[in-house]
Amino acid sequence: MILVENRMKDLETLFRNLDISTTMYKNAVDKYNAIASYLETKGIKCDIYPQGSFALGLVTRPVKEEKDVNYDLDVICELVYDKEKITPEYLKHLIGNALKESQTYKDRLIEYDKCWTLEFAEINEIAFNMDIIPSVEDKKTLSFYFDTNFLAITSKNEKDDYDWITINPKDYQSWFENINKPFLDYCQDSEKRLFMESYKTIYNKVEEIPTYFIKSPLQRVIQLLKRQRDIYFSAIKKEDKKPISAIITTLCSQIGEKANKNISDVELLTYIVSELDIYSKLMNDSEELFNKTYSEKVTIKKRKNKWEILNPVNPEDNLADSWNDDKEKAELFFGWIKNLQKTFLGYKEINDKEFFSILESSLGSTYVNKYIERKKYEMPVVSVLSAHKKSWGY
Amino acid sequence: MNIHLFEIPKLLTEFPGLKIIKNCELKLIIEGKIEIAKLYGEIPIYDDYEIQIEILRNYPHKLPIVKEIGGKIKKYRHIFTNGNLCIGTEADIFVNLFPEYSLFRYVDEFVISYLFTYSYFTKFGVFPFGDRSHGFNGVLEFYQEHFDVSSKEEAKFILASIFDKSNVVKMKMISDEYSNPISFYQEKIEKAIDSDFYSIYKKDFEKYKYKITEKRGGKLWLEMSRKKVFSKKV
């Protein structure tokens, strides 16, 4: 049997390779800078910057219907306009029409409800989509939050009408970075060294490494959970009911905040998953009993039988809103947590074949086989199932 | 000798855990371990099963009987009470194996798919490729896919019409009910009559004749007529 330490090493390897490559990162940054420059030539002054997982250092190779698919990278395209003087339709088409006039962009442009998506070709077999989200500043404030950076983005509904939607991604980023910083403080020197060793042909000095690539255990745990979520929900045929990334990031950060900061990826994963599992008691226990038993567990709440996971920078936004419309979503979420426990917390006790098989089933066979030598685990040759037949009972 | 039995050596080579344990005038029984190492999308399944396959000399007129003898498959909805595995509907198997009716393919596609599905089901609680309802409903589900129609009622109607051409009034009703032109069904029925699978349809029609004709002449048509009258009133 392979030593537990070696299994740990292999797990860490898998933790470290879920991200976009340095080439893709550079390519993406070059691309959105080029878009900003192009728009400027069209008389549109804007600031384009990463949003969501791209801004938080949490990009994870997505999976859909059992297959790896293109990365989606979100960028905000912020214009200096008075929101009250323009319509959302005007803003959306101002950007869209300008991009349609470009030979470079016109054939790769698709309109979605909240963004313009540019599909970029494959680099090393991996393509990516850049979602450009037109936005302007929104003067909205929350009574108990003084420093809010709200943006108004456009949203197109089924009737092709456009509305404004308010978001504050910069505040969320600051909140996340604040929690992530102590983790980074512990590991950034070693992380930079490791990174330089791997990419010495690309970067000459430590200072040249984009901050995006210096990752903490918290970031890697979130990436791993996002990847495992995609594979798991695809396997159980419930992709439309998987927990949104904002729920995973928020819960992991709030739980991680209380963890020891000098911690390995696997230890942090164990801690977070065990903590999340405690909340599964909310499925059956009354709110009163749960609050009495676990008075300090306030990350996921149930109030008057309604699930509540508040957006930490906008308490008006309940991230678990859809769980209240569809009860199965909460059940599936906690089912997923139980599966995570089985998957990652028992890895010391099982045999090599089971361990490798669990890794493949959790993170995807292609991905695991790319980074871990299956021979080492004495795995049999695997072939694609040729026929998908339906069993039948007489 | 039955031509299909010439494939037995290939079967034993491809599945080295299997061996012949009985070879008599009426049948051939193969038994042993089948190892599964198959990938579906990003999910692999590694498992093994002890199985027994009973192949009658008149295969493919009679399909093999497959049992899991290692005691792994328990309390599962696709196993007969006598332990035979419900591999698939006969028509599904026949149509897919047509025209060679390869025994090797029967095991490699249908038996392996069944065992893979069981392992996947125990791991994730879902059937990766869906499954069929029990009994006649499951048979109709196959025909619904096979005839490429949106409902089991339409599948049943087509199956019935292959053998009863006096269905003009009923064809009108079903075409109204499912908003398809009459020619949509006519073409499918004509194609089925000329098809290589005619004898397979006939076998199922005769086997389930009572259920097909009972519904066709009774409740279904009555319900449809009522709906039609009701919609006219509206």
Side-chain angles (χ1 to χ4, degrees):
Chain A
M1 196 163 110
I2 288 172
L3 292 173
V4 168
E5 295 79 58
N6 291 339
R7 286 188 182 182
M8 287 275 278
K9 265 189 202 166
D10 285 342
L11 253 178
E12 296 269 344
T13 303
L14 295 173
F15 268 93
R16 286 176 178 276
N17 286 287
L18 288 165
D19 222 313
I20 48 173
S21 66
T22 50
T23 318
M24 187 181 286
Y25 174 82
K26 187 177 178 306
N27 191 14
V29 173
D30 289 348
K31 290 269 189 317
Y32 72 68
N33 283 334
I35 295 167
S37 303
Y38 166 76
L39 290 175
E40 198 165 351
T41 65
K42 293 278 163 188
I44 302 168
K45 276 200 169 183
C46 62
D47 190 9
I48 299 189
Y49 52 88
Q51 195 263 150
S53 61
F54 193 18
L56 303 175
L58 300 174
V59 174
T60 311
R61 179 107 204 218
V63 175
K64 210 174 182 186
E65 291 166 3
E66 297 98 24
K67 284 180 191 141
D68 275 339
V69 291
N70 297 346
Y71 285 96
D72 281 323
L73 304 176
D74 294 356
V75 293
I76 295 280
C77 175
E78 188 178 344
L79 282 78
V80 189
Y81 272 99
D82 184 343
K83 181 193 153 198
E84 305 308 322
K85 291 184 180 166
I86 56 168
T87 64
E89 189 171 6
Y90 171 81
L91 177 66
K92 184 81 180 275
H93 290 297
L94 181 70
I95 302 300
N97 291 340
L99 292 171
K100 280 175 197 167
E101 284 171 23
S102 155
Q103 291 301 317
T104 313
Y105 304 126
K106 68 172 187 185
D107 293 331
R108 28 178 124 237
L109 192 68
I110 303 171
E111 184 180 11
Y112 286 99
D113 57 342
K114 295 181 180 65
C115 62
W116 290 101
T117 295
L118 284 169
E119 294 181 335
F120 290 108
E122 293 181 1
I123 298 173
N124 300 332
E125 297 174 8
I126 301 172
F128 70 90
N129 301 328
M130 186 169 280
D131 293 344
I132 301 161
I133 306 164
S135 73
V136 292
E137 189 191 354
D138 193 320
K139 299 265 191 303
K140 172 181 172 162
T141 52
L142 290 170
S143 54
F144 43 91
Y145 272 75
F146 298 106
D147 297 324
T148 45
N149 295 287
F150 280 107
L151 290 175
I153 64 167
T154 68
S155 177
K156 183 180 172 184
N157 64 25
E158 285 157 2
K159 291 177 189 163
D160 285 352
D161 293 329
Y162 290 78
D163 291 313
W164 291 114
I165 287 184
T166 306
I167 59 168
N168 53 339
K170 283 183 182 169
D171 297 325
Y172 191 90
Q173 190 177 341
S174 306
W175 172 82
F176 177 76
E177 283 170 354
N178 199 32
I179 293 174
N180 194 39
K181 189 174 178 299
F183 286 99
L184 273 178
D185 288 345
Y186 263 105
C187 67
Q188 62 179 324
D189 290 345
S190 58
E191 285 297 314
K192 281 179 183 169
R193 259 200 316 277
L194 258 177
F195 192 87
M196 281 303 285
E197 278 169 27
S198 307
Y199 296 96
K200 52 191 165 202
T201 52
I202 303 172
Y203 300 100
N204 297 316
K205 292 178 193 162
V206 172
E207 294 76 42
E208 290 175 10
I209 304 172
T211 50
Y212 178 89
F213 288 107
I214 305 305
K215 293 279 155 72
S216 72
L218 177 62
Q219 286 167 299
R220 284 193 293 266
V221 166
I222 294 170
Q223 286 179 308
L224 185 105
L225 291 183
K226 282 168 63 182
R227 172 76 183 185
Q228 205 273 351
R229 166 205 59 182
D230 287 351
I231 300 277
Y232 176 78
F233 280 82
S234 167
I236 64 165
K237 313 279 174 192
K238 295 279 182 187
E239 279 179 314
D240 55 332
K241 298 196 178 190
K242 66 185 180 186
I244 54 173
S245 297
I247 286 184
I248 296 175
T249 307
T250 304
L251 295 179
C252 288
S253 307
Q254 286 177 337
I255 292 170
E257 198 172 10
K258 296 183 186 108
N260 175 6
K261 305 299 180 291
N262 184 12
I263 196 169
S264 75
D265 298 356
V266 179
E267 286 166 339
L268 183 61
L269 174 71
T270 307
Y271 175 73
I272 287 175
V273 172
S274 305
E275 283 288 301
L276 282 172
D277 187 48
I278 293 171
Y279 291 99
S280 67
K281 293 189 169 55
L282 274 167
M283 296 281 293
N284 301 316
D285 289 359
S286 68
E287 296 157 47
E288 292 75 23
L289 178 63
F290 183 87
N291 295 339
K292 206 171 150 189
T293 320
Y294 303 102
S295 56
E296 288 174 13
K297 310 284 179 211
V298 291
T299 308
I300 304 176
K301 286 182 199 154
K302 232 177 166 185
R303 285 182 205 273
K304 293 181 184 164
N305 224 21
K306 298 266 182 201
W307 292 100
E308 197 178 274
I309 302 170
L310 294 184
N311 178 340
V313 293
N314 183 0
E316 290 175 6
D317 178 19
N318 178 10
L319 301 173
D321 252 347
S322 71
W323 292 14
N324 297 319
D325 301 330
D326 182 351
K327 300 284 177 212
E328 195 190 6
K329 282 192 174 179
E331 285 166 24
L332 290 169
F333 174 82
F334 289 111
W336 171 55
I337 299 298
K338 289 271 181 237
N339 180 273
L340 278 169
Q341 278 208 311
K342 260 201 298 194
T343 302
F344 291 112
L345 308 194
Y347 69 93
K348 290 177 188 168
E349 287 86 26
I350 52 180
N351 66 37
D352 287 345
K353 195 175 166 185
E354 270 181 87
F355 176 74
F356 194 89
S357 162
I358 278 177
L359 291 182
E360 284 185 294
S361 301
S362 313
L363 300 173
S365 180
T366 314
Y367 175 69
V368 171
N369 282 283
K370 186 173 174 187
Y371 294 101
I372 311 289
E373 199 191 342
R374 67 184 287 128
K375 263 191 196 164
K376 198 169 72 179
Y377 287 88
E378 294 179 356
M379 293 304 290
V381 174
V382 67
S383 58
V384 174
L385 185 70
S386 58
H388 302 164
K389 303 300 181 195
K390 292 176 179 170
S391 310
W392 169 67
Y394 183 73
Chain B
M1 186 176 167
N2 182 330
I3 189 169
H4 301 286
L5 299 186
F6 284 117
E7 279 191 290
I8 297 294
K10 185 185 178 188
L11 200 62
L12 301 183
T13 311
E14 294 290 331
F15 299 100
L18 296 178
K19 59 181 180 201
I20 297 170
I21 61 151
K22 190 172 182 179
N23 189 355
C24 65
E25 202 180 315
L26 286 176
K27 62 189 171 189
L28 186 79
I29 299 180
I30 295 171
E31 222 176 79
K33 190 192 270 186
I34 282 195
E35 294 193 356
I36 311 266
K38 294 285 180 188
L39 193 61
Y40 168 59
E42 286 295 322
I43 305 289
I45 292 288
Y46 305 103
D47 215 337
D48 52 63
Y49 290 90
E50 292 284 337
I51 64 157
Q52 185 190 79
I53 308 172
E54 187 179 309
I55 305 156
L56 298 174
R57 293 277 172 191
N58 63 352
Y59 175 86
H61 297 289
K62 278 277 177 193
L63 287 171
I65 295 163
V66 186
K67 282 184 161 72
E68 192 273 317
I69 53 174
K72 219 170 189 173
I73 302 181
K74 294 173 195 159
K75 288 188 181 174
Y76 184 50
R77 70 179 192 228
H78 293 303
I79 186 165
F80 291 96
T81 45
N82 63 5
N84 294 354
L85 306 183
C86 312
I87 300 286
T89 70
E90 277 195 14
D92 194 351
I93 296 169
F94 282 130
V95 165
N96 273 283
L97 297 182
F98 177 85
E100 291 92 1
Y101 301 108
S102 156
L103 254 178
F104 174 74
R105 278 188 58 215
Y106 173 77
V107 177
D108 193 43
E109 294 181 15
F110 283 92
V111 177
I112 296 295
S113 195
Y114 179 94
L115 298 174
F116 181 96
T117 296
Y118 180 77
S119 298
Y120 193 100
F121 181 77
T122 52
K123 200 167 181 173
F124 295 108
V126 293
F127 294 98
F129 327 119
D131 69 330
R132 300 213 189 281
S133 306
H134 282 229
F136 182 55
N137 268 335
V139 173
L140 284 181
E141 282 160 17
F142 162 73
Y143 280 110
Q144 185 184 333
E145 286 169 22
H146 180 66
F147 293 137
D148 192 18
V149 285
S150 61
S151 70
K152 284 188 276 190
E153 294 308 333
E154 290 164 287
K156 187 161 62 175
F157 167 75
I158 294 172
L159 191 58
S161 303
I162 298 169
F163 306 98
D164 176 4
K165 290 165 193 163
S166 63
N167 265 344
V168 182
V169 179
K170 286 152 196 171
M171 179 125 43
K172 175 84 176 78
M173 277 185 193
I174 207 142
S175 106
D176 287 349
E177 177 78 8
Y178 293 98
S179 309
N180 288 314
I182 285 177
S183 61
F184 173 83
Y185 298 102
Q186 273 173 335
E187 279 167 22
K188 287 184 189 291
I189 294 162
E190 279 162 24
K191 196 177 156 196
I193 291 169
D194 292 336
S195 149
D196 291 323
F197 307 130
Y198 181 83
S199 60
I200 295 169
Y201 306 145
K202 194 171 181 191
K203 201 172 170 186
D204 269 342
F205 178 75
E206 281 167 3
K207 192 170 175 184
Y208 299 105
K209 195 172 185 177
Y210 172 72
K211 290 186 177 181
I212 293 171
T213 49
E214 177 201 47
K215 289 269 182 182
R216 196 162 60 92
K219 206 175 156 195
L220 168 74
W221 301 105
L222 193 63
E223 278 171 10
M224 286 173 62
S225 311
R226 277 181 190 153
K227 265 189 200 170
K228 212 178 164 198
V229 171
F230 181 71
S231 63
K232 269 186 179 171
K233 277 182 186 170
V234 172

